[in-house]
PDB file of all heavy atoms in Angstrom:
ATOM      1  N   LEU E 250     -20.470  -7.405   2.561  1.00 95.00           N
ATOM      2  CA  LEU E 250     -20.794  -6.391   3.561  1.00 95.00           C
ATOM      3  C   LEU E 250     -22.295  -6.262   3.764  1.00 95.00           C
ATOM      4  O   LEU E 250     -22.791  -6.237   4.900  1.00 95.00           O
ATOM      5  CB  LEU E 250     -20.193  -5.051   3.146  1.00 95.00           C
ATOM      6  CG  LEU E 250     -20.434  -3.881   4.099  1.00 95.00           C
ATOM      7  CD1 LEU E 250     -19.730  -4.082   5.443  1.00 95.00           C
ATOM      8  CD2 LEU E 250     -20.001  -2.548   3.464  1.00 95.00           C
ATOM      9  N   ARG E 251     -23.039  -6.205   2.686  1.00 93.00           N
ATOM     10  CA  ARG E 251     -24.488  -6.088   2.759  1.00 93.00           C
ATOM     11  C   ARG E 251     -25.102  -7.313   3.447  1.00 93.00           C
ATOM     12  O   ARG E 251     -26.107  -7.176   4.165  1.00 93.00           O
ATOM     13  CB  ARG E 251     -25.080  -5.918   1.369  1.00 93.00           C
ATOM     14  CG  ARG E 251     -24.697  -4.625   0.642  1.00 93.00           C
ATOM     15  CD  ARG E 251     -25.431  -4.540  -0.700  1.00 93.00           C
ATOM     16  NE  ARG E 251     -24.922  -3.457  -1.507  1.00 93.00           N
ATOM     17  CZ  ARG E 251     -25.259  -2.180  -1.377  1.00 93.00           C
ATOM     18  NH1 ARG E 251     -26.104  -1.825  -0.423  1.00 93.00           N
ATOM     19  NH2 ARG E 251     -24.753  -1.274  -2.188  1.00 93.00           N
ATOM     20  N   GLU E 252     -24.505  -8.450   3.207  1.00 94.00           N
ATOM     21  CA  GLU E 252     -25.036  -9.698   3.781  1.00 94.00           C
ATOM     22  C   GLU E 252     -24.478  -9.980   5.163  1.00 94.00           C
ATOM     23  O   GLU E 252     -24.679 -11.038   5.731  1.00 94.00           O
ATOM     24  CB  GLU E 252     -24.711 -10.862   2.841  1.00 94.00           C
ATOM     25  CG  GLU E 252     -25.457 -10.781   1.497  1.00 94.00           C
ATOM     26  CD  GLU E 252     -25.044 -11.867   0.525  1.00 94.00           C
ATOM     27  OE1 GLU E 252     -24.103 -12.649   0.873  1.00 94.00           O
ATOM     28  OE2 GLU E 252     -25.667 -11.973  -0.527  1.00 94.00           O
ATOM     29  N   GLN E 253     -23.699  -9.001   5.717  1.00 93.00           N
ATOM     30  CA  GLN E 253     -23.153  -9.057   7.053  1.00 93.00           C
ATOM     31  C   GLN E 253     -22.167 -10.216   7.247  1.00 93.00           C
ATOM     32  O   GLN E 253     -22.003 -10.719   8.368  1.00 93.00           O
ATOM     33  CB  GLN E 253     -24.278  -9.141   8.089  1.00 93.00           C
ATOM     34  CG  GLN E 253     -25.221  -7.934   8.032  1.00 93.00           C
ATOM     35  CD  GLN E 253     -26.309  -7.986   9.074  1.00 93.00           C
ATOM     36  OE1 GLN E 253     -26.616  -9.019   9.654  1.00 93.00           O
ATOM     37  NE2 GLN E 253     -26.924  -6.853   9.338  1.00 93.00           N
ATOM     38  N   ARG E 254     -21.526 -10.634   6.161  1.00 96.00           N
ATOM     39  CA  ARG E 254     -20.462 -11.641   6.280  1.00 96.00           C
ATOM     40  C   ARG E 254     -19.112 -10.993   6.567  1.00 96.00           C
ATOM     41  O   ARG E 254     -18.173 -11.677   6.968  1.00 96.00           O
ATOM     42  CB  ARG E 254     -20.382 -12.477   5.011  1.00 96.00           C
ATOM     43  CG  ARG E 254     -21.609 -13.401   4.829  1.00 96.00           C
ATOM     44  CD  ARG E 254     -21.484 -14.268   3.613  1.00 96.00           C
ATOM     45  NE  ARG E 254     -21.743 -13.553   2.364  1.00 96.00           N
ATOM     46  CZ  ARG E 254     -20.875 -13.322   1.399  1.00 96.00           C
ATOM     47  NH1 ARG E 254     -19.633 -13.723   1.528  1.00 96.00           N
ATOM     48  NH2 ARG E 254     -21.229 -12.668   0.301  1.00 96.00           N
ATOM     49  N   ILE E 255     -19.014  -9.701   6.342  1.00 97.00           N
ATOM     50  CA  ILE E 255     -17.869  -8.909   6.775  1.00 97.00           C
ATOM     51  C   ILE E 255     -18.390  -7.632   7.450  1.00 97.00           C
ATOM     52  O   ILE E 255     -19.563  -7.240   7.233  1.00 97.00           O
ATOM     53  CB  ILE E 255     -16.904  -8.539   5.626  1.00 97.00           C
ATOM     54  CG1 ILE E 255     -17.609  -7.655   4.568  1.00 97.00           C
ATOM     55  CG2 ILE E 255     -16.335  -9.801   4.985  1.00 97.00           C
ATOM     56  CD1 ILE E 255     -16.659  -7.180   3.475  1.00 97.00           C
ATOM     57  N   ASP E 256     -17.546  -6.981   8.244  1.00 96.00           N
ATOM     58  CA  ASP E 256     -17.972  -5.791   8.992  1.00 96.00           C
ATOM     59  C   ASP E 256     -17.447  -4.501   8.393  1.00 96.00           C
ATOM     60  O   ASP E 256     -18.068  -3.447   8.567  1.00 96.00           O
ATOM     61  CB  ASP E 256     -17.462  -5.905  10.437  1.00 96.00           C
ATOM     62  CG  ASP E 256     -17.977  -7.128  11.148  1.00 96.00           C
ATOM     63  OD1 ASP E 256     -19.199  -7.315  11.233  1.00 96.00           O
ATOM     64  OD2 ASP E 256     -17.126  -7.907  11.673  1.00 96.00           O
ATOM     65  N   VAL E 257     -16.315  -4.555   7.734  1.00 95.00           N
ATOM     66  CA  VAL E 257     -15.656  -3.349   7.225  1.00 95.00           C
ATOM     67  C   VAL E 257     -15.025  -3.667   5.870  1.00 95.00           C
ATOM     68  O   VAL E 257     -14.530  -4.780   5.651  1.00 95.00           O
ATOM     69  CB  VAL E 257     -14.525  -2.881   8.179  1.00 95.00           C
ATOM     70  CG1 VAL E 257     -13.903  -1.584   7.674  1.00 95.00           C
ATOM     71  CG2 VAL E 257     -15.041  -2.693   9.587  1.00 95.00           C
ATOM     72  N   THR E 258     -15.041  -2.723   4.957  1.00 92.00           N
ATOM     73  CA  THR E 258     -14.270  -2.877   3.710  1.00 92.00           C
ATOM     74  C   THR E 258     -13.241  -1.780   3.647  1.00 92.00           C
ATOM     75  O   THR E 258     -13.465  -0.623   4.059  1.00 92.00           O
ATOM     76  CB  THR E 258     -15.169  -2.758   2.457  1.00 92.00           C
ATOM     77  OG1 THR E 258     -15.633  -1.414   2.333  1.00 92.00           O
ATOM     78  CG2 THR E 258     -16.342  -3.684   2.524  1.00 92.00           C
ATOM     79  N   TYR E 259     -12.088  -2.134   3.142  1.00 85.00           N
ATOM     80  CA  TYR E 259     -11.036  -1.158   2.949  1.00 85.00           C
ATOM     81  C   TYR E 259     -10.129  -1.602   1.818  1.00 85.00           C
ATOM     82  O   TYR E 259      -9.804  -2.784   1.716  1.00 85.00           O
ATOM     83  CB  TYR E 259     -10.197  -0.973   4.226  1.00 85.00           C
ATOM     84  CG  TYR E 259      -9.096   0.035   4.053  1.00 85.00           C
ATOM     85  CD1 TYR E 259      -9.394   1.357   3.747  1.00 85.00           C
ATOM     86  CD2 TYR E 259      -7.755  -0.311   4.143  1.00 85.00           C
ATOM     87  CE1 TYR E 259      -8.405   2.286   3.563  1.00 85.00           C
ATOM     88  CE2 TYR E 259      -6.756   0.632   3.966  1.00 85.00           C
ATOM     89  CZ  TYR E 259      -7.093   1.932   3.662  1.00 85.00           C
ATOM     90  OH  TYR E 259      -6.102   2.844   3.461  1.00 85.00           O
ATOM     91  N   ARG E 260      -9.731  -0.642   0.966  1.00 84.00           N
ATOM     92  CA  ARG E 260      -8.839  -0.898  -0.148  1.00 84.00           C
ATOM     93  C   ARG E 260      -9.548  -1.708  -1.238  1.00 84.00           C
ATOM     94  O   ARG E 260      -9.753  -2.917  -1.099  1.00 84.00           O
ATOM     95  CB  ARG E 260      -7.580  -1.659   0.303  1.00 84.00           C
ATOM     96  CG  ARG E 260      -6.449  -1.502  -0.677  1.00 84.00           C
ATOM     97  CD  ARG E 260      -5.767  -0.149  -0.595  1.00 84.00           C
ATOM     98  NE  ARG E 260      -4.819  -0.044   0.504  1.00 84.00           N
ATOM     99  CZ  ARG E 260      -4.278   1.091   0.887  1.00 84.00           C
ATOM    100  NH1 ARG E 260      -4.642   2.237   0.325  1.00 84.00           N
ATOM    101  NH2 ARG E 260      -3.422   1.112   1.878  1.00 84.00           N
ATOM    102  N   GLY E 261      -9.935  -1.036  -2.289  1.00 83.00           N
ATOM    103  CA  GLY E 261     -10.443  -1.760  -3.458  1.00 83.00           C
ATOM    104  C   GLY E 261     -11.898  -1.531  -3.780  1.00 83.00           C
ATOM    105  O   GLY E 261     -12.435  -2.210  -4.665  1.00 83.00           O
ATOM    106  N   LEU E 262     -12.584  -0.606  -3.097  1.00 87.00           N
ATOM    107  CA  LEU E 262     -13.978  -0.329  -3.451  1.00 87.00           C
ATOM    108  C   LEU E 262     -14.037   0.260  -4.856  1.00 87.00           C
ATOM    109  O   LEU E 262     -13.335   1.227  -5.179  1.00 87.00           O
ATOM    110  CB  LEU E 262     -14.614   0.662  -2.468  1.00 87.00           C
ATOM    111  CG  LEU E 262     -15.077   0.095  -1.112  1.00 87.00           C
ATOM    112  CD1 LEU E 262     -15.512   1.212  -0.204  1.00 87.00           C
ATOM    113  CD2 LEU E 262     -16.190  -0.902  -1.318  1.00 87.00           C
ATOM    114  N   ALA E 263     -14.856  -0.312  -5.715  1.00 87.00           N
ATOM    115  CA  ALA E 263     -14.992   0.172  -7.075  1.00 87.00           C
ATOM    116  C   ALA E 263     -15.865   1.422  -7.119  1.00 87.00           C
ATOM    117  O   ALA E 263     -16.688   1.675  -6.255  1.00 87.00           O
ATOM    118  CB  ALA E 263     -15.605  -0.909  -7.963  1.00 87.00           C
ATOM    119  N   ALA E 264     -15.681   2.207  -8.185  1.00 90.00           N
ATOM    120  CA  ALA E 264     -16.408   3.466  -8.316  1.00 90.00           C
ATOM    121  C   ALA E 264     -17.914   3.269  -8.304  1.00 90.00           C
ATOM    122  O   ALA E 264     -18.633   3.969  -7.622  1.00 90.00           O
ATOM    123  CB  ALA E 264     -15.966   4.165  -9.599  1.00 90.00           C
ATOM    124  N   ASP E 265     -18.416   2.250  -9.037  1.00 89.00           N
ATOM    125  CA  ASP E 265     -19.861   2.003  -9.071  1.00 89.00           C
ATOM    126  C   ASP E 265     -20.391   1.693  -7.684  1.00 89.00           C
ATOM    127  O   ASP E 265     -21.503   2.128  -7.317  1.00 89.00           O
ATOM    128  CB  ASP E 265     -20.186   0.865 -10.036  1.00 89.00           C
ATOM    129  CG  ASP E 265     -20.023   1.300 -11.489  1.00 89.00           C
ATOM    130  OD1 ASP E 265     -20.080   2.515 -11.777  1.00 89.00           O
ATOM    131  OD2 ASP E 265     -19.876   0.410 -12.344  1.00 89.00           O
TER     132      ASP E 265
END
Side-chain angles (χ1 to χ4, degrees):
L250 179 66
R251 295 184 190 279
E252 295 175 353
Q253 300 182 342
R254 290 184 283 115
I255 63 175
D256 300 305
V257 183
T258 68
Y259 180 62
R260 201 75 82 192
L262 282 173
D265 287 339

